[in-house]
Amino acid sequence: MKMIKAIIRPEAADDVIDGLEGAGFFSLTKIDVFGRGKQKGITVGIIHYDELPKTVIMLVVEDKSVEEVAKLIKYKAYTGNYGDGKIFITPVDDAYTIRTGVSGL
């Protein structure tokens, strides 16, 4: 299993979530956050915005689905401009459903 965390533009979140649902990936967590990337924020006119609103989409998938999910997120969140986001993929040793105690997804 792998955990996929995608930090994306808030305006892309609904498109990404709809795309994931359409591909059969219904279980996810969406978190509204603030942050910045390599550009250290943006400057508009004379105003510098150090941290920008972003959305984190988190989901855990089987290893065989990682490439499909990452490709879908990249496609749905892409604008071609700085700040489109970043995808992080990390291993997950196990998962437990709290209500039932069952291991796995």
Side-chain angles (χ1 to χ4, degrees):
M1 290 183 288
K2 302 278 193 233
M3 177 176 288
I4 300 174
K5 291 182 187 176
I7 302 172
I8 59 175
R9 297 173 180 273
E11 60 269 23
D14 288 341
D15 286 341
V16 170
I17 291 169
D18 290 346
L20 289 168
E21 288 177 354
F25 301 100
F26 301 99
S27 300
L28 58 82
T29 300
K30 175 182 146 185
I31 307 165
D32 293 323
V33 298
F34 286 88
R36 64 178 185 202
K38 295 176 188 175
Q39 297 76 33
K40 302 177 190 167
I42 63 169
T43 301
V44 179
I46 61 170
I47 301 172
H48 181 75
Y49 297 95
D50 192 43
E51 294 178 342
L52 302 170
K54 295 291 179 182
T55 298
V56 175
I57 306 287
M58 251 180 7
L59 63 159
V60 176
V61 299
E62 297 293 343
D63 291 347
K64 65 182 181 193
S65 300
V66 170
E67 287 302 316
E68 178 185 359
V69 169
K71 184 177 177 180
L72 192 148
I73 293 169
K74 286 188 280 186
Y75 175 73
K76 292 290 188 175
Y78 179 82
T79 68
N81 298 308
Y82 288 115
D84 277 351
K86 193 75 99 172
I87 300 171
F88 300 94
I89 301 169
T90 57
V92 174
D93 294 331
D94 209 348
Y96 292 92
T97 301
I98 294 172
R99 181 181 59 86
T100 62
V102 174
S103 174
L105 291 178

